[in-house]
Amino acid sequence: SPYTLSLHDALPIYIAANTGLALQHSFAALLVLRCIQSSGCSGTIAISNGVVSDVATRAERGSYVSLAAMGQSLGPALGPIIGGLLTHFLGWRSIFWFLDIYAGVMLISILVFMPETCRNIVGNGSVSPQKWNISLMTYLTQRNLRKNNVPIALGTVLNKKRPSLFASLSILVEKEAALLMIFCAIYFAGFSMLIASLPSQLSSTYHFNSIQVGLCYIPIGVAAICAKTVVGRLIDWNFRRHCRIQGLEIIKSRQQDIDDFPAERARLEVSVPLMIIAFVAVIPYGWVMGMATPPLGAVIVFLFFFAFAASGLMQTITVLLIDCHPDSPAAVSAANNVLRCLLAAGGVAIAVPLFDKIGRGWTGTLLALVYAASSLLLWAVAVKGPGWRNERKLKREAIEEKREEEEGRRGI
């Protein structure tokens, strides 16, 4: 669907849900409105990846994804601090009023400045979008062009793909995409388990207030920002390295052909050291937090490395998923979000009982073993992925040929 139009629809839903949450007194309504709030903001992640795919080539996609995800990375750093301050001084309802104001500013900025880049609507940028989907700056630019008698493309995109609710779900059944998304969901679920249980652990262990708890999230946000910057560049560097090995020329502003290129290996090689870091960090974190008086410095250091590894891994998987589905990046991101959020919800639900039942140390060890086992999923993708990708290509070509034949017979 059009990116800016989707944001026009999503953010008002988000604003309305925040308003209801700020005024709410019923727990049942609070739960429902939180679900609506999530639906209003989650689409922005998929849309950002769609924009990245439109403007970035495969040789620079890692860096572009890191820039697009930088805002998401600021959330774990700034969100708990702002939320802690607002809760401490103004009460929890002020959080939702703050989100209302922030989302309103973003919506106005999008309506004024953000151009439509969805290739299904504007092609390579030469086709003008619908009148209801033009930002103010785009409108003013087109008006100036008309005044100067500069022609404006008014055509449409050929073979336009219509939005489908099943486009994302169909990706979940593909072998390569399914394994990558399951791996990403496992890491995100483990990350969510530790992050969601952190406030209660800090409060019970150190007797911190909401502001102090929020400050402890700074290393997590800083780690995510560092991961986006460092890992993004490593992803692009390794892709270019494999291009040199294969004797392929990289041309700027042109998408690299990966039909006969080991894209899976080029991307996933970056994930190996990140998996090792995550495995090494999560075990001592669990055992340190299980101590009667755990040293706060050690806890923060382990959280930093774990957040760095988890954020970098999810970024690597996102880049590879977009590589394999360049025509539907938003649908891929949506499918990935569905799977990882569902698994994360289950992980958070069992986190506290698990910590209480087997202890924090054994929970960290168990999580590390799950992470180690999940690495087999990436190994399968690296080995079998090129073949699966070729199968999808042949299947698409066969469907396209059949469609053209049917259209030809109807024309006759």
Side-chain angles (χ1 to χ4, degrees):
S1 61
Y3 296 145
T4 55
L5 189 60
S6 297
L7 289 172
H8 300 169
D9 296 337
L11 285 178
I13 295 174
Y14 180 72
I15 293 171
N18 282 320
T19 303
L21 287 165
L23 300 173
Q24 199 49 245
H25 295 277
S26 168
F27 176 77
L30 190 73
L31 186 63
V32 172
L33 286 171
R34 283 285 285 150
C35 294
I36 297 175
Q37 180 201 37
S38 178
S39 68
C41 68
S42 60
T44 58
I45 300 175
I47 293 169
S48 66
N49 288 331
V51 174
V52 165
S53 180
D54 288 343
V55 302
T57 63
R58 288 188 172 91
E60 57 188 5
R61 186 161 288 158
S63 299
Y64 270 78
V65 168
S66 67
L67 290 174
M70 195 64 72
Q72 304 170 33
S73 302
L74 289 174
L78 299 180
I81 299 174
I82 297 174
L85 289 170
L86 290 173
T87 301
H88 188 80
F89 293 107
L90 299 176
W92 63 268
R93 297 180 187 276
S94 62
I95 294 177
F96 298 107
W97 291 122
F98 173 85
L99 294 177
D100 258 351
I101 297 171
Y102 180 78
V105 172
M106 290 298 101
L107 179 59
I108 294 173
S109 300
I110 291 168
L111 292 172
V112 174
F113 298 108
M114 185 174 178
E116 180 60 70
T117 64
C118 181
R119 291 184 179 272
N120 196 36
I121 303 298
V122 298
N124 63 356
S126 61
V127 179
S128 178
Q130 307 96 326
K131 292 181 179 180
W132 60 84
N133 199 25
I134 298 178
S135 66
L136 177 61
M137 295 302 297
T138 301
Y139 169 77
L140 295 176
T141 300
Q142 292 183 356
R143 189 179 67 173
N144 290 333
L145 292 175
R146 292 190 186 95
K147 288 182 178 179
N148 296 324
N149 296 322
V150 178
I152 300 174
L154 299 176
T156 59
V157 179
L158 297 177
N159 299 324
K160 184 179 292 186
K161 298 179 181 178
R162 296 185 179 276
S164 172
L165 294 175
F166 299 101
S168 298
L169 298 179
S170 63
I171 296 174
L172 290 172
V173 300
E174 295 181 3
K175 298 175 184 177
E176 183 174 11
L179 293 182
L180 290 172
M181 291 179 186
I182 291 172
F183 175 86
C184 189
I186 290 173
Y187 264 83
F188 186 70
F191 180 75
S192 300
M193 286 175 59
L194 297 188
I195 299 305
S197 61
L198 188 60
S200 60
Q201 292 179 357
L202 291 174
S203 298
S204 61
T205 303
Y206 302 101
H207 305 290
F208 283 171
N209 58 34
S210 60
I211 298 177
Q212 292 170 314
V213 170
L215 292 174
C216 290
Y217 276 83
I218 293 179
I220 298 174
V222 172
I225 294 173
C226 293
K228 301 302 182 186
T229 304
V230 175
V231 176
R233 294 182 179 180
L234 284 176
I235 292 173
D236 291 343
W237 171 82
N238 203 48
F239 187 91
R240 292 192 295 267
R241 184 177 71 87
H242 275 274
C243 285
R244 289 194 296 268
I245 294 174
Q246 299 289 326
L248 299 177
E249 182 183 4
I250 298 177
I251 302 176
K252 290 186 176 181
S253 73
R254 181 180 298 179
Q255 290 289 356
Q256 193 77 20
D257 185 10
I258 61 171
D259 288 344
D260 300 315
F261 182 79
E264 289 80 4
R265 182 175 177 180
R267 300 304 194 191
L268 295 180
E269 282 178 347
V270 180
S271 67
V272 175
L274 296 173
M275 286 189 290
I276 295 174
I277 293 174
F279 183 84
V280 171
V282 73
I283 294 178
Y285 169 79
W287 289 105
V288 168
M289 282 299 293
M291 298 170 59
T293 55
L296 183 60
V299 171
I300 290 176
V301 170
F302 290 134
L303 276 175
F304 175 88
F305 283 107
F306 179 69
F308 179 92
S311 179
L313 281 167
M314 286 184 278
Q315 180 183 354
T316 304
I317 301 303
T318 299
V319 172
L320 181 54
L321 284 170
I322 296 176
D323 280 344
C324 297
H325 300 83
D327 296 329
S328 53
V332 169
S333 298
N336 192 24
N337 287 339
V338 167
L339 190 59
R340 72 176 188 173
C341 289
L342 285 175
L343 195 57
V348 172
I350 67 173
V352 175
L354 193 63
F355 279 123
D356 294 338
K357 189 175 183 65
I358 67 175
R360 298 171 183 175
W362 285 113
T363 300
T365 303
L366 178 61
L367 183 58
L369 293 176
V370 172
Y371 280 173
S374 67
S375 63
L376 296 175
L377 300 176
L378 296 190
W379 175 82
V381 171
V383 175
K384 300 288 186 178
W388 293 336
R389 183 155 39 87
N390 188 52
E391 289 177 4
R392 290 198 307 273
K393 178 186 176 183
L394 295 176
K395 185 177 180 180
R396 287 195 302 269
E397 291 177 349
I399 294 174
E400 185 66 21
E401 290 178 359
K402 184 177 179 179
R403 185 185 63 81
E404 291 177 355
E405 290 178 358
E406 291 177 353
E407 290 179 352
R409 285 196 297 268
R410 287 196 297 268
I412 294 175

